[in-house]
Amino acid sequence: MKKHYDVIIVGGGVIGSSIAFHLSKRNYRVLVVEKGALAQKASRAAAGMLGAQNEIGEDSPLLSFARKSRAMFPALAEELQFLSNINIELIQSGIIKVAQSEEEVAHLRAIAAFQEKIGEKVEWLTTKQVKEKEPELSEAVQGGLYMPNDGQVSAPLLSKALAQSAAALGTDFLEYTEVQELIQDNNRISGVRTGTDSFFASNVIVAGGAWSKDIINKTGISLETYPVKGECFSVQTHERMITSSIFSSGGYIVPKSGGRLIIGATEKPHTFDESVQLDGLYQLMAQALNIIPALKNAKWEKAWAGIRPQTGDGLPYLGEHPHVKGLFVATGHYRNGILLAPVTGLLMADMIDGKAVHHPFSINRTPYIKEVNR
């Protein structure tokens, strides 16, 4: 295996694979080092919603970033299909954010007004209109915000397609290999050291999701990130119950092919425990049955959990280390890693190219970064 590359990426999830894909398209020699298997952890666990309008508040700097990323998916799906022969199952049938109280009705109507103002397609549906569009929804739904441009993909297939497409373009992947140390020379990155070998590059990107902090802490700074466990489960139905993804204050229900539904997700911060607990499943089941009573007849499939990387201010860290030249970070996407993967890959590739990139996600922002003793 080669020892010298242009860029080494630490982490082979959807973010790391997207960065590798975009860099390989620009003819960089890239190595991705993943401590487990590719396209696992949070990348495998996600339901795959592309909720640029649904997930991100009107006051968030992420909104324009997310809208740009969502717009990349149709062309990306075709490109990945060509390179990897994988269909990422892009479905643009919209998301309905339902209201279950008068307060939620007022809140969602205000969101609708804002989104119309910025030019997004959005429609407020009355209780009757919601039932006409999705007949299986219960009377507990008092209306809904329909966002036709928000959609979904298969998260595992997207992650796999990005990795395989990057490989087809020349990226090398090293699985089941943990980076033990970042190699530096006079505050300049020069490579990484694993348990058995060393690899060298003038640029290293840490994209290890919730595990990125462990590596970055060894470089003299500490990013304000923490893990959040999200539990989900899936069921099978004989007939397709819903066509749009349904999002509520208590979770989501996402229709997949073959009558499969993914229901999630809990939010349990400050744990790397990937076990699934009954209290979380009970809450998800109760909320799902309240919205779609016919789910009581669905057949159980499986349950799982993923560990998502959250930050102190809810924004990802994307940029170069303040003290180590050539060391970059791309982490903290929390619940939007699938949605933001395309634009993150593009942005990080632009940074490696040396282009002037302006965004509010610098890792040098305060107070969410602090010096630590090495």
Short mmCIF file of all heavy atoms in Angstrom, two decimals, residues 220-274:
data_model
loop_
_atom_site.label_atom_id
_atom_site.label_comp_id
_atom_site.label_asym_id
_atom_site.label_seq_id
_atom_site.Cartn_x
_atom_site.Cartn_y
_atom_site.Cartn_z
N GLY A 220 -3.84 20.26 21.14
CA GLY A 220 -3.75 21.50 21.91
C GLY A 220 -5.04 22.30 22.00
O GLY A 220 -5.06 23.35 22.64
N ILE A 221 -6.11 21.84 21.38
CA ILE A 221 -7.41 22.51 21.51
C ILE A 221 -8.49 21.47 21.82
O ILE A 221 -8.29 20.28 21.60
CB ILE A 221 -7.80 23.29 20.23
CG1 ILE A 221 -8.00 22.33 19.06
CG2 ILE A 221 -6.78 24.36 19.90
CD1 ILE A 221 -8.60 22.97 17.83
N SER A 222 -9.58 21.94 22.34
CA SER A 222 -10.71 21.05 22.61
C SER A 222 -11.96 21.65 22.02
O SER A 222 -12.37 22.75 22.40
CB SER A 222 -10.89 20.85 24.12
OG SER A 222 -12.03 20.05 24.39
N LEU A 223 -12.57 20.97 21.08
CA LEU A 223 -13.81 21.44 20.50
C LEU A 223 -14.98 21.06 21.41
O LEU A 223 -14.97 19.99 22.02
CB LEU A 223 -14.02 20.81 19.12
CG LEU A 223 -12.93 21.06 18.08
CD1 LEU A 223 -13.31 20.40 16.76
CD2 LEU A 223 -12.71 22.54 17.87
N GLU A 224 -15.97 21.92 21.48
CA GLU A 224 -17.13 21.67 22.32
C GLU A 224 -18.09 20.74 21.58
O GLU A 224 -19.08 21.17 21.00
CB GLU A 224 -17.83 22.99 22.68
CG GLU A 224 -18.93 22.85 23.72
CD GLU A 224 -18.45 22.46 25.09
OE1 GLU A 224 -17.25 22.60 25.38
OE2 GLU A 224 -19.29 22.01 25.89
N THR A 225 -17.77 19.46 21.59
CA THR A 225 -18.62 18.46 20.95
C THR A 225 -18.97 17.37 21.96
O THR A 225 -18.22 17.13 22.91
CB THR A 225 -17.94 17.82 19.74
OG1 THR A 225 -16.80 17.05 20.19
CG2 THR A 225 -17.48 18.85 18.74
N TYR A 226 -20.09 16.73 21.74
CA TYR A 226 -20.48 15.62 22.61
C TYR A 226 -21.39 14.67 21.85
O TYR A 226 -22.08 15.06 20.90
CB TYR A 226 -21.18 16.14 23.87
CG TYR A 226 -22.41 16.97 23.63
CD1 TYR A 226 -23.69 16.39 23.61
CD2 TYR A 226 -22.32 18.35 23.44
CE1 TYR A 226 -24.81 17.16 23.41
CE2 TYR A 226 -23.45 19.13 23.22
CZ TYR A 226 -24.69 18.53 23.21
OH TYR A 226 -25.82 19.30 23.00
N PRO A 227 -21.39 13.39 22.24
CA PRO A 227 -22.20 12.39 21.54
C PRO A 227 -23.65 12.45 21.99
O PRO A 227 -23.96 12.72 23.15
CB PRO A 227 -21.55 11.07 21.95
CG PRO A 227 -21.02 11.35 23.33
CD PRO A 227 -20.56 12.79 23.30
N VAL A 228 -24.55 12.18 21.05
CA VAL A 228 -25.98 12.06 21.35
C VAL A 228 -26.48 10.78 20.71
O VAL A 228 -26.44 10.62 19.49
CB VAL A 228 -26.79 13.26 20.82
CG1 VAL A 228 -28.27 13.09 21.17
CG2 VAL A 228 -26.26 14.57 21.37
N LYS A 229 -26.96 9.86 21.54
CA LYS A 229 -27.50 8.60 21.01
C LYS A 229 -28.90 8.81 20.47
O LYS A 229 -29.74 9.45 21.09
CB LYS A 229 -27.53 7.52 22.10
CG LYS A 229 -28.17 6.21 21.60
CD LYS A 229 -27.88 5.04 22.52
CE LYS A 229 -28.66 5.10 23.81
NZ LYS A 229 -28.52 3.84 24.60
N GLY A 230 -29.16 8.25 19.30
CA GLY A 230 -30.49 8.28 18.72
C GLY A 230 -30.95 6.87 18.44
O GLY A 230 -30.30 6.13 17.70
N GLU A 231 -32.07 6.47 19.04
CA GLU A 231 -32.61 5.13 18.85
C GLU A 231 -33.74 5.17 17.81
O GLU A 231 -34.54 6.10 17.78
CB GLU A 231 -33.15 4.59 20.17
CG GLU A 231 -32.07 4.43 21.23
CD GLU A 231 -32.64 4.43 22.64
OE1 GLU A 231 -33.45 5.34 22.95
OE2 GLU A 231 -32.28 3.54 23.42
N CYS A 232 -33.82 4.14 16.99
CA CYS A 232 -34.85 4.03 15.95
C CYS A 232 -35.33 2.59 15.88
O CYS A 232 -34.67 1.67 16.39
CB CYS A 232 -34.30 4.42 14.58
SG CYS A 232 -33.61 6.08 14.45
N PHE A 233 -36.45 2.39 15.23
CA PHE A 233 -36.88 1.03 14.91
C PHE A 233 -37.62 1.05 13.58
O PHE A 233 -38.01 2.11 13.07
CB PHE A 233 -37.74 0.42 16.03
CG PHE A 233 -39.11 1.03 16.18
CD1 PHE A 233 -40.22 0.49 15.54
CD2 PHE A 233 -39.29 2.13 17.00
CE1 PHE A 233 -41.48 1.05 15.70
CE2 PHE A 233 -40.55 2.69 17.18
CZ PHE A 233 -41.65 2.15 16.53
N SER A 234 -37.79 -0.11 13.00
CA SER A 234 -38.49 -0.21 11.72
C SER A 234 -39.56 -1.29 11.79
O SER A 234 -39.45 -2.26 12.56
CB SER A 234 -37.52 -0.50 10.58
OG SER A 234 -36.83 -1.72 10.80
N VAL A 235 -40.59 -1.10 10.98
CA VAL A 235 -41.69 -2.08 10.88
C VAL A 235 -42.01 -2.31 9.42
O VAL A 235 -41.63 -1.53 8.55
CB VAL A 235 -42.96 -1.58 11.62
CG1 VAL A 235 -42.70 -1.42 13.11
CG2 VAL A 235 -43.46 -0.27 11.02
N GLN A 236 -42.72 -3.39 9.17
CA GLN A 236 -43.18 -3.72 7.82
C GLN A 236 -44.70 -3.68 7.78
O GLN A 236 -45.37 -4.14 8.71
CB GLN A 236 -42.70 -5.11 7.42
CG GLN A 236 -41.22 -5.21 7.11
CD GLN A 236 -40.87 -4.67 5.73
OE1 GLN A 236 -41.74 -4.41 4.92
NE2 GLN A 236 -39.59 -4.52 5.46
N THR A 237 -45.24 -3.11 6.71
CA THR A 237 -46.69 -3.08 6.53
C THR A 237 -47.04 -3.73 5.20
O THR A 237 -46.22 -3.76 4.27
CB THR A 237 -47.21 -1.63 6.54
OG1 THR A 237 -46.61 -0.91 5.46
CG2 THR A 237 -46.86 -0.94 7.86
N HIS A 238 -48.25 -4.24 5.10
CA HIS A 238 -48.68 -4.91 3.85
C HIS A 238 -48.88 -3.89 2.73
O HIS A 238 -48.59 -4.16 1.57
CB HIS A 238 -49.97 -5.68 4.08
CG HIS A 238 -49.80 -6.87 4.97
ND1 HIS A 238 -48.99 -7.93 4.64
CD2 HIS A 238 -50.34 -7.17 6.18
CE1 HIS A 238 -49.02 -8.84 5.60
NE2 HIS A 238 -49.84 -8.41 6.55
N GLU A 239 -49.39 -2.72 3.08
CA GLU A 239 -49.64 -1.68 2.10
C GLU A 239 -48.90 -0.41 2.51
O GLU A 239 -48.62 -0.20 3.69
CB GLU A 239 -51.14 -1.41 1.99
CG GLU A 239 -51.94 -2.60 1.49
CD GLU A 239 -53.42 -2.29 1.40
OE1 GLU A 239 -53.80 -1.16 1.76
OE2 GLU A 239 -54.18 -3.17 0.97
N ARG A 240 -48.62 0.43 1.54
CA ARG A 240 -47.94 1.69 1.82
C ARG A 240 -48.90 2.62 2.57
O ARG A 240 -49.90 3.06 2.01
CB ARG A 240 -47.48 2.33 0.51
CG ARG A 240 -46.54 3.51 0.69
CD ARG A 240 -46.06 4.00 -0.68
NE ARG A 240 -45.15 5.13 -0.57
CZ ARG A 240 -43.84 5.01 -0.43
NH1 ARG A 240 -43.30 3.81 -0.37
NH2 ARG A 240 -43.06 6.08 -0.34
N MET A 241 -48.57 2.94 3.82
CA MET A 241 -49.47 3.73 4.66
C MET A 241 -49.39 5.22 4.38
O MET A 241 -50.39 5.94 4.46
CB MET A 241 -49.17 3.48 6.14
CG MET A 241 -49.65 2.15 6.65
SD MET A 241 -49.51 2.05 8.45
CE MET A 241 -50.33 0.50 8.73
N ILE A 242 -48.19 5.71 4.11
CA ILE A 242 -47.98 7.15 3.87
C ILE A 242 -47.05 7.32 2.68
O ILE A 242 -46.26 6.43 2.36
CB ILE A 242 -47.39 7.86 5.11
CG1 ILE A 242 -46.13 7.13 5.61
CG2 ILE A 242 -48.42 7.98 6.22
CD1 ILE A 242 -45.43 7.81 6.77
N THR A 243 -47.18 8.46 2.03
CA THR A 243 -46.29 8.76 0.91
C THR A 243 -45.22 9.78 1.29
O THR A 243 -44.10 9.74 0.80
CB THR A 243 -47.09 9.30 -0.29
OG1 THR A 243 -47.83 10.45 0.12
CG2 THR A 243 -48.05 8.25 -0.81
N SER A 244 -45.57 10.72 2.17
CA SER A 244 -44.62 11.73 2.65
C SER A 244 -44.03 11.29 3.98
O SER A 244 -44.66 10.54 4.73
CB SER A 244 -45.33 13.08 2.84
OG SER A 244 -45.93 13.52 1.65
N SER A 245 -42.83 11.78 4.29
CA SER A 245 -42.29 11.59 5.63
C SER A 245 -43.09 12.46 6.59
O SER A 245 -43.44 13.60 6.26
CB SER A 245 -40.81 11.97 5.67
OG SER A 245 -40.05 11.12 4.84
N ILE A 246 -43.35 11.94 7.79
CA ILE A 246 -44.12 12.66 8.79
C ILE A 246 -43.20 13.02 9.95
O ILE A 246 -42.56 12.14 10.53
CB ILE A 246 -45.31 11.83 9.30
CG1 ILE A 246 -46.15 11.32 8.13
CG2 ILE A 246 -46.14 12.64 10.28
CD1 ILE A 246 -46.76 12.41 7.27
N PHE A 247 -43.16 14.30 10.27
CA PHE A 247 -42.30 14.78 11.35
C PHE A 247 -43.17 15.46 12.39
O PHE A 247 -44.04 16.27 12.06
CB PHE A 247 -41.27 15.77 10.80
CG PHE A 247 -40.15 16.08 11.75
CD1 PHE A 247 -38.96 15.40 11.68
CD2 PHE A 247 -40.29 17.06 12.73
CE1 PHE A 247 -37.91 15.67 12.56
CE2 PHE A 247 -39.26 17.35 13.60
CZ PHE A 247 -38.08 16.65 13.52
N SER A 248 -42.95 15.14 13.66
CA SER A 248 -43.69 15.77 14.75
C SER A 248 -42.72 16.17 15.84
O SER A 248 -41.52 15.87 15.76
CB SER A 248 -44.73 14.81 15.32
OG SER A 248 -44.11 13.79 16.08
N SER A 249 -43.22 16.83 16.86
CA SER A 249 -42.37 17.23 17.98
C SER A 249 -41.84 16.01 18.73
O SER A 249 -40.86 16.12 19.48
CB SER A 249 -43.15 18.12 18.94
OG SER A 249 -44.31 17.46 19.41
N GLY A 250 -42.44 14.85 18.52
CA GLY A 250 -42.00 13.65 19.23
C GLY A 250 -41.23 12.66 18.38
O GLY A 250 -40.86 11.58 18.86
N GLY A 251 -40.95 12.99 17.12
CA GLY A 251 -40.19 12.07 16.29
C GLY A 251 -40.62 12.11 14.84
O GLY A 251 -41.30 13.03 14.41
N TYR A 252 -40.23 11.08 14.09
CA TYR A 252 -40.54 11.04 12.67
C TYR A 252 -40.93 9.63 12.24
O TYR A 252 -40.62 8.64 12.91
CB TYR A 252 -39.38 11.53 11.83
CG TYR A 252 -38.05 10.83 12.10
CD1 TYR A 252 -37.82 9.53 11.67
CD2 TYR A 252 -37.02 11.50 12.77
CE1 TYR A 252 -36.61 8.89 11.90
CE2 TYR A 252 -35.80 10.86 13.02
CZ TYR A 252 -35.61 9.57 12.58
OH TYR A 252 -34.41 8.93 12.83
N ILE A 253 -41.65 9.58 11.11
CA ILE A 253 -42.03 8.32 10.48
C ILE A 253 -41.68 8.46 8.99
O ILE A 253 -42.23 9.33 8.30
CB ILE A 253 -43.52 8.02 10.64
CG1 ILE A 253 -43.92 8.08 12.12
CG2 ILE A 253 -43.88 6.66 10.04
CD1 ILE A 253 -45.42 8.03 12.36
N VAL A 254 -40.76 7.64 8.53
CA VAL A 254 -40.24 7.79 7.16
C VAL A 254 -40.57 6.54 6.36
O VAL A 254 -40.13 5.44 6.70
CB VAL A 254 -38.72 8.02 7.17
CG1 VAL A 254 -38.21 8.23 5.75
CG2 VAL A 254 -38.36 9.23 8.04
N PRO A 255 -41.34 6.68 5.27
CA PRO A 255 -41.69 5.51 4.44
C PRO A 255 -40.55 5.12 3.51
O PRO A 255 -39.96 5.96 2.83
CB PRO A 255 -42.89 6.01 3.64
CG PRO A 255 -42.66 7.49 3.50
CD PRO A 255 -41.96 7.92 4.76
N LYS A 256 -40.24 3.85 3.49
CA LYS A 256 -39.22 3.31 2.60
C LYS A 256 -39.88 2.33 1.62
O LYS A 256 -41.08 2.06 1.70
CB LYS A 256 -38.13 2.61 3.41
CG LYS A 256 -37.38 3.53 4.37
CD LYS A 256 -36.58 4.59 3.65
CE LYS A 256 -35.78 5.46 4.60
NZ LYS A 256 -34.95 6.47 3.88
N SER A 257 -39.11 1.82 0.71
CA SER A 257 -39.66 0.90 -0.29
C SER A 257 -40.11 -0.40 0.36
O SER A 257 -39.64 -0.78 1.43
CB SER A 257 -38.60 0.61 -1.36
OG SER A 257 -37.45 0.01 -0.78
N GLY A 258 -41.06 -1.07 -0.29
CA GLY A 258 -41.52 -2.36 0.18
C GLY A 258 -42.39 -2.32 1.42
O GLY A 258 -42.47 -3.32 2.14
N GLY A 259 -43.02 -1.19 1.71
CA GLY A 259 -43.88 -1.10 2.87
C GLY A 259 -43.16 -0.97 4.19
O GLY A 259 -43.75 -1.14 5.26
N ARG A 260 -41.89 -0.64 4.14
CA ARG A 260 -41.09 -0.48 5.36
C ARG A 260 -41.20 0.95 5.88
O ARG A 260 -41.23 1.90 5.10
CB ARG A 260 -39.63 -0.82 5.06
CG ARG A 260 -38.69 -0.80 6.26
CD ARG A 260 -37.34 -1.39 5.86
NE ARG A 260 -36.42 -1.43 6.97
CZ ARG A 260 -35.36 -0.63 7.11
NH1 ARG A 260 -35.09 0.28 6.17
NH2 ARG A 260 -34.57 -0.71 8.15
N LEU A 261 -41.27 1.10 7.20
CA LEU A 261 -41.30 2.42 7.83
C LEU A 261 -40.19 2.50 8.88
O LEU A 261 -40.02 1.56 9.67
CB LEU A 261 -42.64 2.67 8.51
CG LEU A 261 -43.89 2.75 7.63
CD1 LEU A 261 -45.14 2.75 8.50
CD2 LEU A 261 -43.85 4.00 6.76
N ILE A 262 -39.44 3.59 8.86
CA ILE A 262 -38.46 3.85 9.91
C ILE A 262 -39.05 4.88 10.87
O ILE A 262 -39.54 5.93 10.44
CB ILE A 262 -37.13 4.36 9.33
CG1 ILE A 262 -36.47 3.27 8.48
CG2 ILE A 262 -36.19 4.79 10.46
CD1 ILE A 262 -35.14 3.70 7.88
N ILE A 263 -39.00 4.58 12.16
CA ILE A 263 -39.59 5.44 13.18
C ILE A 263 -38.50 5.82 14.18
O ILE A 263 -37.79 4.97 14.72
CB ILE A 263 -40.76 4.71 13.89
CG1 ILE A 263 -41.84 4.38 12.85
CG2 ILE A 263 -41.32 5.56 15.03
CD1 ILE A 263 -42.91 3.43 13.34
N GLY A 264 -38.35 7.11 14.40
CA GLY A 264 -37.30 7.57 15.31
C GLY A 264 -37.55 8.99 15.72
O GLY A 264 -38.58 9.57 15.38
N ALA A 265 -36.64 9.61 16.33
CA ALA A 265 -35.48 9.04 16.99
C ALA A 265 -35.38 9.71 18.36
O ALA A 265 -35.75 10.87 18.52
CB ALA A 265 -34.21 9.30 16.20
N THR A 266 -34.87 8.94 19.31
CA THR A 266 -34.65 9.50 20.64
C THR A 266 -33.42 10.39 20.62
O THR A 266 -32.63 10.38 19.68
CB THR A 266 -34.46 8.39 21.68
OG1 THR A 266 -33.31 7.60 21.31
CG2 THR A 266 -35.69 7.49 21.75
N GLU A 267 -33.24 11.15 21.69
CA GLU A 267 -32.06 12.00 21.84
C GLU A 267 -31.53 11.83 23.26
O GLU A 267 -32.10 12.37 24.21
CB GLU A 267 -32.41 13.47 21.57
CG GLU A 267 -32.86 13.74 20.14
CD GLU A 267 -33.19 15.20 19.91
OE1 GLU A 267 -32.66 16.05 20.64
OE2 GLU A 267 -34.00 15.48 19.02
N LYS A 268 -30.45 11.07 23.39
CA LYS A 268 -29.86 10.80 24.70
C LYS A 268 -28.40 11.25 24.68
O LYS A 268 -27.53 10.55 24.14
CB LYS A 268 -29.97 9.31 25.03
CG LYS A 268 -31.43 8.85 25.13
CD LYS A 268 -31.56 7.38 25.49
CE LYS A 268 -33.02 6.99 25.65
NZ LYS A 268 -33.18 5.56 26.02
N PRO A 269 -28.13 12.44 25.24
CA PRO A 269 -26.79 13.02 25.13
C PRO A 269 -25.77 12.40 26.08
O PRO A 269 -26.11 11.74 27.06
CB PRO A 269 -27.03 14.49 25.49
CG PRO A 269 -28.22 14.47 26.39
CD PRO A 269 -29.07 13.34 25.91
N HIS A 270 -24.50 12.61 25.70
CA HIS A 270 -23.33 12.28 26.53
C HIS A 270 -23.19 10.77 26.77
O HIS A 270 -22.88 10.33 27.88
CB HIS A 270 -23.38 13.03 27.86
CG HIS A 270 -23.53 14.51 27.70
ND1 HIS A 270 -22.54 15.31 27.14
CD2 HIS A 270 -24.57 15.33 27.99
CE1 HIS A 270 -22.96 16.57 27.13
NE2 HIS A 270 -24.18 16.61 27.61
N THR A 271 -23.42 9.99 25.74
CA THR A 271 -23.19 8.55 25.84
C THR A 271 -22.73 7.99 24.51
O THR A 271 -23.19 8.43 23.45
CB THR A 271 -24.46 7.81 26.31
OG1 THR A 271 -24.17 6.41 26.38
CG2 THR A 271 -25.62 8.02 25.34
N PHE A 272 -21.81 7.03 24.59
CA PHE A 272 -21.39 6.27 23.41
C PHE A 272 -21.99 4.86 23.43
O PHE A 272 -21.63 4.02 22.61
CB PHE A 272 -19.86 6.17 23.36
CG PHE A 272 -19.20 7.43 22.88
CD1 PHE A 272 -18.67 8.34 23.78
CD2 PHE A 272 -19.10 7.72 21.52
CE1 PHE A 272 -18.04 9.50 23.35
CE2 PHE A 272 -18.48 8.88 21.07
CZ PHE A 272 -17.95 9.78 21.99
N ASP A 273 -22.90 4.62 24.37
CA ASP A 273 -23.56 3.32 24.48
C ASP A 273 -24.56 3.16 23.33
O ASP A 273 -25.53 3.90 23.23
CB ASP A 273 -24.28 3.24 25.82
CG ASP A 273 -25.07 1.95 25.99
OD1 ASP A 273 -24.87 1.01 25.18
OD2 ASP A 273 -25.88 1.87 26.94
N GLU A 274 -24.32 2.18 22.48
CA GLU A 274 -25.17 1.99 21.30
C GLU A 274 -26.28 0.97 21.52
O GLU A 274 -26.95 0.57 20.57
CB GLU A 274 -24.30 1.56 20.11
CG GLU A 274 -23.32 2.63 19.66
CD GLU A 274 -22.48 2.21 18.47
OE1 GLU A 274 -23.01 2.24 17.36
OE2 GLU A 274 -21.31 1.85 18.68
#
